[in-house]
Amino acid sequence: GRGGGPPGGGGGAIADGGVAAEMWSEVMGSLLPLMLADDSAPVRASAISTVALLPASGVHRDAFAKCLEHVWTAARPGDSKDSAVRAAGVKTLGLLSHLPANEGDVQFLIRASDAVDRCSRDAFVAVRIKAAFALSNLCQKCHVLQEKASTEYLRHHAGLTLMRLADFALRAMSDNDKVRVYGVRALGYLGSCPNFTDMIGASTSP
């Protein structure tokens, strides 16, 4: 009758929902790279921050990988006019370190710690604050570096990474108040990490 629908009509709604999700994924996957390459630094910074939300949006893995490369590039020393982009880049790496796909990835944590170390020395305090935020996030996963380092190579670099993170956390203690807030938190995470000194010792032994 009027207002009714065929039996099992709900399946059409599910299918429509699937199509809508697919279309949205394509929109995000095609539009965001344009914003990441925008001439405006604030627009690029906003786009960089959005990358941290992409996994939850269901965007295709290939599209996410391309966007992630923009994040790695952003979290490098550069033009003073791009400080907001650097800040967004290093903060996003800190957020992404808690994704299930990355939190057990020793290589990701090591590479992210390199970016944090560089940004922790930035001339702009806003960049150093975001680097300290990312540092705290990475240190929260420091136990992963111990548990997942399955080869001598990874154990060596995991130890170096923990040492680098500890060095940044200590340096943060003489920085801006907002940097120190995250630095203290990072030290707390490192202090709770089992066998922390053994890992560092293994990385520095001949």
Side-chain angles (χ1 to χ4, degrees):
R2 189 172 5 178
I14 294 174
D16 290 345
V19 170
E22 183 73 14
M23 291 177 63
W24 181 246
S25 174
E26 290 181 4
V27 168
M28 291 296 292
S30 59
L31 179 61
L32 192 57
L34 295 177
M35 299 300 98
L36 289 167
D38 198 271
D39 290 337
S40 168
V43 172
R44 293 200 308 277
S46 182
I48 289 289
S49 298
T50 302
V51 174
L53 307 175
L54 285 184
S57 73
V59 72
H60 291 304
R61 183 177 299 179
D62 289 346
F64 174 69
K66 290 178 182 177
C67 292
L68 181 57
E69 283 307 310
H70 283 274
V71 178
W72 289 117
T73 301
R76 295 175 181 171
D79 195 302
S80 60
K81 292 181 289 187
D82 288 336
S83 61
V85 177
R86 287 198 299 283
V90 71
K91 178 182 179 180
T92 298
L93 289 176
L95 291 172
L96 291 174
S97 70
H98 284 255
L99 283 180
N102 294 328
E103 64 180 3
D105 186 342
V106 176
Q107 296 282 18
F108 178 91
L109 296 176
I110 290 173
R111 187 179 179 189
S113 73
D114 290 336
V116 166
D117 188 38
R118 289 191 299 268
C119 289
S120 74
R121 305 170 191 274
D122 201 274
F124 289 83
V125 68
V127 177
R128 299 200 304 276
I129 290 171
K130 299 306 183 187
F133 167 86
L135 167 77
S136 177
N137 277 261
L138 289 175
C139 288
Q140 193 173 357
K141 297 297 178 184
C142 63
H143 66 281
V144 172
L145 290 168
Q146 297 180 322
E147 296 170 357
K148 303 290 184 180
S150 55
T151 66
E152 191 62 35
Y153 171 83
L154 287 179
R155 280 193 292 273
H156 175 76
H157 285 280
L160 289 176
T161 297
L162 288 173
M163 186 164 55
R164 184 183 299 119
L165 294 175
D167 177 63
F168 174 28
L170 291 172
R171 280 192 284 115
M173 293 301 95
S174 60
D175 206 323
N176 178 276
D177 288 356
K178 293 181 180 179
V179 175
R180 294 205 300 273
V181 165
Y182 292 116
V184 169
R185 189 177 302 171
L187 286 173
Y189 288 133
L190 289 171
S192 66
C193 192
N195 303 320
F196 173 70
T197 54
D198 291 342
M199 285 285 288
I200 290 180
S203 71
T204 56
S205 59

